[in-house]
Amino acid sequence: LGQVSAKYKAISQRANEAAQKVRGISIASGLLAGASLKVSADFEKEMSKVRAISKATGEDFEKLKAKAREMGAKTEFSATQSAEAMKYMGMAGWKAGEMIDGLEGVMNLASASAEDLGNVSDIVTDGLTAFGMKAKESSHFADVLASTATNANTNVAMMGETFAMAAPVAGALGYKLATGLMANSGIKASVAGTALRSWMSRMAKPTAEVRTAMKKLGISMTDSKGHMKTFREVMADTRKGFSKLDEKSKAMYASMI
């Protein structure tokens, strides 16, 4: 009887252990299902925002959802984060096709810079708009930002601050700004943007004092035919003009323009 009792006790103990494992699996499965439902709900909520902002409907909207899911599956970002990036594109007036074409470039930039995807999307779309560029140029623009962030003492977020201050004026003049050299000199973010905006504004509508300084330094915003020079050309003229001055004169003319 004692041996039989011991065997039944052992069997009962194993049965209890098995039951506990089953309960654990059930709880884990329930938690996983709950998490999955939440992720799905978050994605649908974000895509609803995209639809409301972009006015995409029918097949166009389904393509946007498919693209967001695709990028969520093959990148480090989730489908919900992809939808958030699309939201900023929609706010910039991009159409469904433009959003689909531009999303991968933006996500690659966010991945390379290790920065928030939504913020990077906002910076790219705002920058393109301010510079008068098209949505189809987003991949190239993102590549330029990635290269600058990699090779200069700045990052995408700081370049976004620079663009916020200077890009509207630069865009009005037909300029495309590169801020890497300024960042390497310790002038970055909004400080660089404020300086650039002030400099471009003064030269675009020069006072008598600024006009005199520009003439002395050989700086002009237009060529001999009256066409606007590129930002690179104006910068080259400025460097050339200042290279001929002594330190005292450099400080004086720098304060004038």
Side-chain angles (χ1 to χ4, degrees):
L1 288 174
Q3 290 175 351
V4 172
S5 176
K7 287 181 180 180
Y8 275 112
K9 185 176 181 181
I11 292 171
S12 177
Q13 184 176 351
R14 287 197 294 271
N16 286 333
E17 290 173 355
Q20 289 175 2
K21 288 180 180 179
V22 170
R23 283 197 294 272
I25 292 171
S26 298
I27 292 170
S29 298
L31 291 173
L32 184 61
S36 179
L37 287 172
K38 184 180 186 306
V39 168
S40 178
D42 289 344
F43 174 69
E44 293 297 336
K45 181 179 179 181
E46 205 64 37
M47 285 306 304
S48 294
K49 295 178 184 177
V50 173
R51 177 169 52 191
I53 293 168
S54 67
K55 309 300 182 185
T57 57
E59 186 178 352
D60 284 341
F61 182 64
E62 291 304 316
K63 287 180 178 178
L64 288 175
K65 289 179 71 173
K67 186 64 177 181
R69 289 195 179 102
E70 175 195 339
M71 299 309 295
K74 73 178 188 180
T75 70
E76 64 187 86
F77 300 104
S78 68
T80 302
Q81 288 173 308
S82 301
E84 183 186 6
M86 286 181 173
K87 179 179 68 177
Y88 288 106
M89 294 175 181
M91 291 169 66
W94 289 21
K95 304 301 182 186
E98 294 172 328
M99 293 159 71
I100 291 170
D101 292 339
L103 181 61
E104 191 158 352
V106 170
M107 293 182 75
N108 288 339
L109 174 59
S111 180
S113 61
E115 297 187 42
D116 178 74
L117 176 58
N119 189 42
V120 168
S121 180
D122 193 26
I123 290 169
V124 171
T125 53
D126 284 354
L128 287 171
T129 301
F131 290 130
M133 300 172 70
K134 304 296 183 182
K136 63 183 179 181
E137 298 176 87
S138 61
S139 291
H140 171 67
F141 187 60
D143 287 343
V144 171
L145 295 187
S147 178
T148 303
T150 302
N151 297 290
N153 187 21
T154 187
N155 58 41
V156 176
M158 286 191 283
M159 284 188 278
E161 290 183 42
T162 300
F163 295 156
M165 301 302 295
V169 176
L173 295 173
Y175 291 162
K176 308 293 188 296
L177 297 179
T179 63
L181 291 177
M182 295 184 73
N184 287 343
S185 299
I187 307 170
K188 59 187 75 175
S190 59
V191 175
T194 301
L196 284 168
R197 182 183 64 185
S198 177
W199 180 62
M200 290 184 292
S201 297
R202 286 202 300 272
M203 289 203 301
K205 292 185 177 181
T207 62
E209 181 183 48
V210 173
R211 194 177 297 112
T212 299
M214 290 175 66
K215 185 176 181 180
K216 172 68 177 178
L217 295 170
I219 303 172
S220 173
M221 299 189 78
T222 57
D223 59 23
S224 58
K225 296 182 181 180
H227 300 147
M228 285 291 296
K229 292 181 179 179
T230 65
F231 185 74
R232 182 184 293 273
E233 290 172 326
V234 176
M235 287 298 299
D237 290 344
T238 303
R239 290 195 190 98
K240 183 178 179 180
F242 273 91
S243 68
K244 301 174 182 178
L245 304 177
D246 57 33
E247 293 303 316
K248 183 177 179 181
S249 297
K250 285 180 180 179
M252 180 184 71
Y253 283 108
S255 67
M256 293 170 66
I257 63 170

